[in-house]
Amino acid sequence: MYSKLVFSAMLFFSAFAFAQNSKTENTVLMGGKPVHTYAKLPSVNKAAPKFILTDVTMKDQTLDSYKGKYLILNIFPSVDTGVCSASVRHFNEDAANIPNTVVLCISKDLPFAQKRFCGAEGIKNVVMLSDFRSDFGKNYGVEITDSMMKGLLSRAVVVIDPSGKIVYQEQVADMSHEPNYEAAISAVKK
């Protein structure tokens, strides 16, 4: 009887662990090869998860720091790659023309590297934020859990309205591709 009870408990916990892992993990591509992220992006029409990120002056910034504005979270692995830097440049151009909107460019890059990039590229219309000492990647589901990119953030865009609700999200299916800029900007202009 005791062994049947132990066996049943082991089956239950194994099934529970499998359900937990399959429920949270998400697969994206990197140059056509599958990699996994911590979870799926937060759902549209839900409250955006709180965060604490570090700006280029080494000060903490939170979701509440931008209360009352539309936020476009441009999330990517590293500003030192071609596609990532292209997304920062693209949103930098677009952000200058969108009222009551702030574009937050978020990566694991150190704030020093982000500041250097912005200075060299003349980037002035977006806010660079680093996830180097926070749990943003897990809270938003974008932290890569395997491959040589483990620990970095996948490419995604999340748009948050002034009330703090998510109104658009895109987990870019292949991180070697740029996000859908027009869809993100349209979510702000609705």
Side-chain angles (χ1 to χ4, degrees), residues 69-88:
K69 297 193 176 290
Y70 275 96
L71 296 177
I72 298 174
L73 308 185
N74 176 31
I75 306 163
F76 52 87
S78 174
V79 75
D80 286 324
T81 66
V83 177
C84 299
S85 59
S87 73
V88 173

Side-chain angles (χ1 to χ4, degrees), residues 44-64:
V44 171
N45 295 321
K46 301 285 185 185
K50 302 285 185 189
F51 60 76
I52 300 173
L53 296 164
T54 306
D55 69 17
V56 297
T57 66
M58 298 300 287
K59 292 189 176 121
D60 287 344
Q61 299 296 323
T62 67
L63 181 61
D64 290 338

Side-chain angles (χ1 to χ4, degrees), residues 84-110:
C84 299
S85 59
S87 73
V88 173
R89 285 192 289 274
H90 195 105
F91 277 121
N92 183 64
E93 290 175 20
D94 292 340
N97 303 318
I98 309 171
N100 198 40
T101 303
V102 178
V103 177
L104 306 179
C105 293
I106 303 166
S107 69
K108 290 273 189 174
D109 291 303
L110 292 176

Side-chain angles (χ1 to χ4, degrees), residues 3-163:
S3 61
K4 284 184 181 180
L5 187 60
V6 170
F7 181 72
S8 294
M10 287 173 49
L11 281 177
F12 171 78
F13 286 114
S14 295
F16 178 76
F18 176 77
Q20 290 298 94
N21 287 338
S22 63
K23 182 171 73 173
T24 59
E25 190 176 84
N26 189 42
T27 302
V28 296
L29 300 176
M30 183 177 71
K33 296 180 182 174
V35 297
H36 300 95
T37 62
Y38 187 77
K40 294 186 184 291
L41 287 171
S43 299
V44 171
N45 295 321
K46 301 285 185 185
K50 302 285 185 189
F51 60 76
I52 300 173
L53 296 164
T54 306
D55 69 17
V56 297
T57 66
M58 298 300 287
K59 292 189 176 121
D60 287 344
Q61 299 296 323
T62 67
L63 181 61
D64 290 338
S65 302
Y66 304 98
K67 196 171 188 168
K69 297 193 176 290
Y70 275 96
L71 296 177
I72 298 174
L73 308 185
N74 176 31
I75 306 163
F76 52 87
S78 174
V79 75
D80 286 324
T81 66
V83 177
C84 299
S85 59
S87 73
V88 173
R89 285 192 289 274
H90 195 105
F91 277 121
N92 183 64
E93 290 175 20
D94 292 340
N97 303 318
I98 309 171
N100 198 40
T101 303
V102 178
V103 177
L104 306 179
C105 293
I106 303 166
S107 69
K108 290 273 189 174
D109 291 303
L110 292 176
F112 316 113
Q114 293 176 334
K115 185 175 184 176
R116 173 192 44 78
F117 172 80
C118 289
E121 296 284 331
I123 304 291
K124 298 180 191 286
N125 299 320
V126 299
V127 176
M128 300 296 283
L129 296 174
S130 177
D131 179 30
F132 83 104
R133 61 179 176 200
S134 79
D135 56 0
F136 173 87
K138 288 186 174 137
N139 290 340
Y140 277 77
V142 293
E143 186 171 312
I144 299 169
T145 61
D146 57 14
S147 82
M148 66 182 178
M149 302 288 275
K150 182 178 180 179
L152 296 178
L153 306 179
S154 65
R155 186 173 321 289
V157 175
V158 176
V159 178
I160 303 168
D161 75 6
S163 73

